[in-house]
Amino acid sequence: MRKSKADKKKVTPPSEDKAQNISKAPQVDMKWKVILFVFGFLLYAQTVNFEYALDDKIVIISNQITTRGFDGVMDHFFYDSMDGFWAEQYGIDVADLDKDALVAGGRYRPLSLVSYAIEYELFGENPWWSHLINALLYGATGLVLFHLMMRLFPSSLKKDIWKTIPFWTTLLFLAHPLHVEVVANIKGRDEILSLLFGLMALIQTLKYVDSRNNQNLIWAFGLLFLSLMSKETTIAFVALGPLMMYFFDIGKMKDWNKSFVVLLGAGVLYTLIRYMVIGGGADTEVTELMNDPFLYANGSERLATIFLVFAAYIKLLFMPFPLTHDYYPYHLPFLEDGQQYAIWSDLGVIAGVLIMLGLLWVIIKGFKRKSIYAFAALFFLGTAILISNLFFPIGVFMNERFMYAPSIGMLMALTYFLLEELPAKAKSFKPVTAIGLMGVVTIVFSGMTLSRSQAWKNDATLALTDVATSTGSAKANMAAGDALIKEISEEKNPDVKTEMINEAYGYLKTSLDIYPEYFPPLDLLGKLYFESGNYAESIKFYGYCVERKPTKQSFKDNIFYIGNKLAQELRYEEAVQAYDKALTYSPNDKRYLLAAAQVFARDLKNPSRALPYMEKAYQFYPNDADVAEKLAITYAMLNRYPDAIQILEPLYQANPNNASIMKNLGIAYYQSGQIERGTILVEKSQTLNQPK
C-alpha cells in the first residue's frame, strides 16, 4: 500500500528531539562532563613528552616575534602569521621584511601565536607545556561540543546520558584519529581555539533565545571574533548559527535574523582588521609546486582532483587509515602510481561527485522539513568549503586537520541515524545495539589515536613514519632523507651508517624523480654525499644549488669547506679543484683565493701555481695588508725579490710596528743583496716579538 504525502512527512525527525522555540539550559550530572573532559585529555596526555615537530618551529622557536615573549604579544596582531618566521630566516627584523618576497596569499591568525609568545616568556623553549595546553584545550572542546549538542537535543535529558546523541557524538569526536594532527602538533592550536570559541559563540546565540538578554549576543559576537582571530575557517558559523536555530526550532525568525547580524558583525570586523594588517594577499604569480599543488593541472584535472579529495575526506572520516601529515604533490589516495592529477573516469572522482550530489540532495530535500541530516550536511560542507581548493588554492591537496570542524556534522548525522532513525524504522535494531557498535568504534578509534600520536614525537619519527604512506610525495621523501642525514653524523657503526646513507639516498632520489625541480633534495644530497665521503658528488650537487639560487652564499661556502676538508686529508689537487669550483661562482672571494694559493705554495711547494690566485686577490683587495703580504711572500718564493720589496715597503711604512711585515721585508732585502738593510729589519722584528 502506497503512503500518502501526509504519511511521508512523518519520516521527519521526531519533534521531541528539538527544543520548542527556546533553548533550554541542560542540567547534566557533572560526572558525565568530567568523563568527557578527562577522556579527551588522556588520549593526548602522552604528547607532553614529545618535541617540537613540523610547523611548530615556524610558529614558535623559529618565529622572531614569538621568541620575544611578552614583547612580541602585541606585534602578532600587526603582522602576517608567517612574517616572524620569514624575518628569522632572512636574518632581518620583521619590520624590514619585504612582503613581495613571501609566498602568495596571507595568514592572519594572531591568537594562537599570542599564546605561544606567552608560553615562551614563561617557560622558554619547552614543548612540554605547549603539548599539555593543547591536550587540555582539546578536552575542553569536547565539553563545549557536548553542551551545544545537549541544547540541540533537549530530549536527551529524559534518557540516560550514555544512551544519547550528544554523548556519543562528543565521544566519537574526541576519539577520532583524524584529529591527531590538530592536537599532537602544537601548531594545531589555531584549529583547536577556532572551533572552541566558535562552538561557544553558537551556544551564546541559543542562550539569548532562552534569556532574551542582549549580553548573550555580545558574548556571541566576541567569541566568534576570537574564533576567527584563531583561524578564519569558522567564518561559516555566521550562517550556521541562524541555520542551527532554524533546523532545531529554536527561537523565531527575528531571533535568527538578530543572531545572523551579530555573527556577521564579528565576521566583518575580523575581515576589516585582516585586510588592514595583511591586505588582500600578494598578487605575485605562484611558480612553486609546493605552494600550489595544482600548478601543472589543467582546469578539468583540477576540478576532478578536488572531487577525488572530497571522496578521500569522507573515506577518512569513516575509515581513518592510513594517516599521514603529508598530502603534498603527488600523494593522493586512489590514484595509480605516477598519476599526478585525477581524471573524471577515476572511481574516486566518481565517488566524490556522487557523494557531493547526495549531500546537496539531502540539504535541498530536507531544508523545508528541517531535517537533522540536512543541517549535518550543511555543517559539514559549510566548514569544509574554505579548504576545498574550489575557490582558491590552499597550498596542498588536503590535510587531515581540515576535517577537524567538519567531522562534527558527519558524526552528528551518524549518531542520530544509529540511535533514533534506524531503531524507529527497523524494530529488530535496538538502541543498545547501536551503543555497543559505537562503543567498539570508540575503543578502536582511541587505540588508533594513541598509536598515531606516537608518530608526532619529533620530526624524524614523523618523517620516517609517514613516508611509508606518502610514497608519492616529493616532500615526504625529502623529509625522510633529511631525517636520516641528521642521524648519520652521530652513527658510530660503519655498517649501519652505510645502510642509512643508502636509504637516505633512495628517499632523496625518489623525491627528485617525483618533482625534478624540487630544490631541497639537491641541498640534502650535497650533505649526504659529504657525510658519505664522496666529496666530488657533494660538490656537484652544491653546484646545482648555486645555479638554482645564485645569491645564496652558503652553498658556495659549502664547496669551499669541502676544499678545506680535502686539504686536511692531504688530497691537495682535489682541494684546489673544489676551490676552483667555488671561484667560478664567486671569483673575487678572498677566502677562496687565499686557500687555493696556500695549498699550492705551502702544501704542494709550487708557488708558481699559487701566484695567479694571489695576484687576483691583490687585484680585488689592494688595501688588504694580509693579502699584500702573502703576495710578497709568493714573489719571494719565486726569487722575485724586487717585486716583493715593491709591495712590502709601502706596507711597512703604513705598519711600522708589524713584526711579520718587517721580517718578510728584511728577508726580501737580504736575498736581493741588500744585506745590511735586510739584517737590520730582521733583527728589529725579532726585538718586537720579544715579550716585554
Side-chain angles (χ1 to χ4, degrees):
M1 180 177 177
R2 296 183 61 184
K3 293 183 179 179
S4 67
K5 292 184 179 180
D7 291 332
K8 290 182 180 179
K9 288 183 180 179
K10 293 179 182 178
V11 180
T12 57
S15 60
E16 63 264 28
D17 284 328
K18 298 181 180 180
Q20 301 300 307
N21 293 317
I22 62 171
S23 176
K24 297 178 181 178
Q27 301 299 320
V28 181
D29 192 329
M30 179 60 71
K31 71 177 181 182
W32 294 109
K33 298 178 182 180
V34 172
I35 287 171
L36 289 171
F37 174 81
V38 172
F39 177 71
F41 169 75
L42 288 180
L43 281 173
Y44 292 94
Q46 62 176 334
T47 63
V48 298
N49 296 314
F50 292 179
E51 302 168 22
Y52 294 114
L54 206 62
D55 292 342
D56 290 347
K57 299 175 183 64
I58 294 177
V59 296
I60 305 175
I61 58 176
S62 295
N63 189 296
Q64 184 183 107
I65 302 176
T66 301
T67 53
R68 292 175 183 170
F70 289 157
D71 291 338
V73 167
M74 292 307 299
D75 284 346
H76 274 309
F77 289 102
F78 295 95
Y79 289 98
D80 184 294
S81 296
M82 293 288 290
D83 283 1
F85 170 73
W86 288 118
E88 187 73 14
Q89 302 311 298
Y90 293 144
I92 59 176
D93 189 88
V94 67
D96 301 322
L97 192 64
D98 178 10
K99 296 297 184 73
D100 293 334
L102 307 183
V103 296
R107 296 165 182 82
Y108 186 64
R109 303 160 187 171
L111 204 57
S112 60
L113 292 166
V114 165
S115 72
Y116 303 140
I118 294 172
E119 288 164 31
Y120 197 89
E121 176 73 29
L122 296 176
F123 311 117
E125 195 171 306
N126 188 346
W128 192 94
W129 287 100
S130 297
H131 282 299
L132 176 66
I133 291 170
N134 268 23
L136 291 170
L137 288 172
Y138 188 63
T141 303
L143 274 184
V144 174
L145 175 60
F146 176 66
H147 190 70
L148 175 64
M149 296 296 294
M150 288 298 296
R151 284 184 172 270
L152 298 182
F153 296 92
S155 64
S156 297
L157 290 170
K158 302 174 185 178
K159 307 174 184 178
D160 293 327
I161 293 300
W162 59 275
K163 297 179 180 179
T164 63
I165 293 169
F167 179 78
W168 284 104
T169 300
T170 304
L171 201 66
L172 288 170
F173 173 85
L174 291 171
H176 208 296
L178 212 56
H179 300 162
V180 169
E181 181 178 5
V182 171
V183 191
N185 188 198
I186 299 170
K187 183 267 174 194
R189 189 178 301 170
D190 55 358
E191 300 277 2
I192 300 175
L193 291 176
S194 182
L195 182 60
L196 177 62
F197 288 127
L199 294 175
M200 291 170 70
L202 296 183
I203 290 174
Q204 288 299 322
T205 62
L206 301 183
K207 284 185 175 181
Y208 167 75
V209 177
D210 190 11
S211 67
R212 299 298 172 182
N213 188 337
N214 287 329
Q215 187 174 1
N216 293 123
L217 291 180
I218 296 173
W219 275 107
F221 177 93
L223 287 165
L224 184 61
F225 179 70
L226 291 177
S227 172
L228 295 169
M229 292 288 276
S230 301
K231 192 170 184 180
E232 61 273 24
T233 47
T234 49
I235 192 69
F237 282 21
V238 171
L240 287 174
L243 285 170
M244 174 186 66
M245 298 166 74
Y246 163 78
F247 274 95
F248 287 88
D249 280 334
I250 299 173
K252 299 179 180 179
M253 177 71 76
K254 64 178 182 180
D255 300 314
W256 310 337
N257 291 338
K258 198 168 185 178
S259 68
F260 174 74
V261 170
V262 169
L263 297 176
L264 179 63
V268 170
L269 178 61
Y270 166 78
T271 303
L272 287 174
I273 295 174
R274 185 184 194 278
Y275 183 80
M276 287 190 293
V277 174
I278 67 173
D283 296 327
T284 54
E285 181 182 1
V286 178
T287 58
E288 169 55 51
L289 183 66
M290 294 302 164
N291 293 334
D292 181 4
F294 296 101
L295 187 63
Y296 303 125
N298 59 40
S300 176
E301 291 172 331
R302 183 179 184 276
L303 190 57
T305 302
I306 288 172
F307 278 107
L308 175 79
V309 167
F310 183 72
Y313 277 138
I314 299 298
K315 179 262 178 186
L316 287 174
L317 282 169
F318 292 99
M319 292 191 296
F321 181 84
L323 299 179
T324 178
H325 76 284
D326 194 314
Y327 290 90
Y328 278 87
Y330 287 102
H331 171 65
L332 279 174
F334 315 141
L335 286 184
E336 298 292 334
D337 289 342
Q339 190 176 349
Q340 297 178 343
Y341 300 104
I343 55 177
W344 291 100
S345 59
D346 289 332
L347 291 178
V349 177
I350 295 171
V353 171
L354 292 176
I355 294 171
M356 177 65 77
L357 291 175
L359 289 174
L360 294 175
W361 179 82
V362 167
I363 293 170
I364 294 170
K365 184 178 180 181
F367 195 91
K368 187 176 181 180
R369 296 187 297 116
K370 300 183 179 180
S371 164
I372 288 177
Y373 296 125
F375 175 75
L378 277 170
F379 193 98
F380 175 79
L381 292 178
T383 52
I385 196 70
L386 285 182
I387 49 82
S388 66
N389 279 305
L390 194 59
F391 302 113
F392 48 83
I394 60 173
V396 67
F397 287 122
M398 60 184 291
N399 264 323
E400 291 160 11
R401 66 177 181 271
F402 294 158
M403 285 294 102
Y404 185 58
S407 65
I408 294 174
M410 283 295 175
L411 293 173
M412 182 194 306
L414 176 64
T415 54
Y416 177 79
F417 174 75
L418 291 175
L419 289 172
E420 297 290 344
E421 181 120 347
L422 191 56
K425 288 185 175 181
K427 300 300 182 182
S428 60
F429 188 88
K430 304 297 183 183
V432 68
T433 306
I435 291 171
L437 177 62
M438 289 187 292
V440 171
V441 172
T442 300
I443 293 171
V444 172
F445 275 11
S446 299
M448 294 173 68
T449 292
L450 291 169
S451 176
R452 174 60 187 165
S453 298
Q454 289 296 319
W456 287 87
K457 184 176 181 180
N458 51 44
D459 279 335
T461 304
L462 185 64
L464 294 173
T465 299
D466 286 0
V467 72
T469 298
S470 300
T471 55
S473 166
K475 191 171 184 179
N477 281 280
M478 178 277 295
D482 185 26
L484 285 172
I485 289 172
K486 290 173 180 175
E487 295 178 359
I488 286 171
S489 59
E490 300 177 3
E491 181 57 51
K492 304 302 181 183
N493 188 313
D495 294 332
V496 174
K497 188 171 185 176
T498 299
E499 184 179 339
M500 293 171 67
I501 288 171
N502 292 334
E503 188 178 0
Y505 173 78
Y507 287 132
L508 295 175
K509 183 178 182 301
T510 299
S511 180
L512 285 176
D513 288 343
I514 294 169
Y515 179 29
E517 299 302 313
Y518 197 24
F519 179 80
L522 298 177
D523 180 17
L524 292 172
L525 280 167
K527 294 178 183 177
L528 179 63
Y529 279 118
F530 179 82
E531 289 293 341
S532 67
N534 191 337
Y535 300 136
E537 285 296 303
S538 181
I539 291 171
K540 182 174 76 173
F541 276 95
Y542 281 130
Y544 294 152
C545 292
V546 176
E547 290 163 10
R548 291 277 296 276
K549 295 189 176 183
T551 60
K552 189 81 170 179
Q553 184 63 37
S554 62
F555 299 126
K556 306 169 191 176
D557 285 345
N558 286 341
I559 297 174
F560 168 63
Y561 297 143
I562 293 172
N564 292 343
K565 180 70 173 177
L566 287 163
Q568 291 172 9
E569 296 180 2
L570 310 183
R571 297 160 64 176
Y572 299 124
E573 291 292 348
E574 294 175 76
V576 172
Q577 290 175 9
Y579 297 142
D580 284 341
K581 183 69 173 180
L583 284 165
T584 61
Y585 302 120
S586 291
N588 62 342
D589 192 296
K590 182 177 70 172
R591 295 169 302 156
Y592 304 169
L593 291 166
L594 294 182
Q598 179 173 286
V599 168
F600 280 125
R602 185 190 68 184
D603 301 316
L604 293 176
K605 305 294 191 276
N606 193 337
S608 61
R609 292 181 66 183
L611 185 61
Y613 295 96
M614 287 308 314
E615 289 181 331
K616 193 171 186 178
Y618 187 66
Q619 176 187 347
F620 287 120
Y621 305 97
N623 298 319
D624 189 302
D626 183 52
V627 171
E629 184 179 10
K630 288 179 178 177
L631 174 59
I633 293 172
T634 306
Y635 281 140
M637 293 175 71
L638 293 169
N639 299 323
R640 293 173 55 176
Y641 301 115
D643 291 330
I645 292 171
Q646 185 177 359
I647 291 175
L648 288 171
E649 186 62 51
L651 198 62
Y652 169 62
Q653 298 302 325
N655 301 276
N657 295 316
N658 188 304
S660 176
I661 295 173
M662 188 183 299
K663 178 182 178 181
N664 285 317
L665 179 59
I667 292 172
Y669 274 122
Y670 190 94
Q671 295 294 337
S672 66
Q674 301 182 53
I675 297 174
E676 183 179 356
R677 171 68 170 158
T679 301
I680 292 172
L681 289 171
V682 170
E683 290 177 351
K684 187 177 180 181
S685 71
Q686 292 172 347
T687 303
L688 287 175
N689 279 328
Q690 291 178 356
K692 296 180 180 180

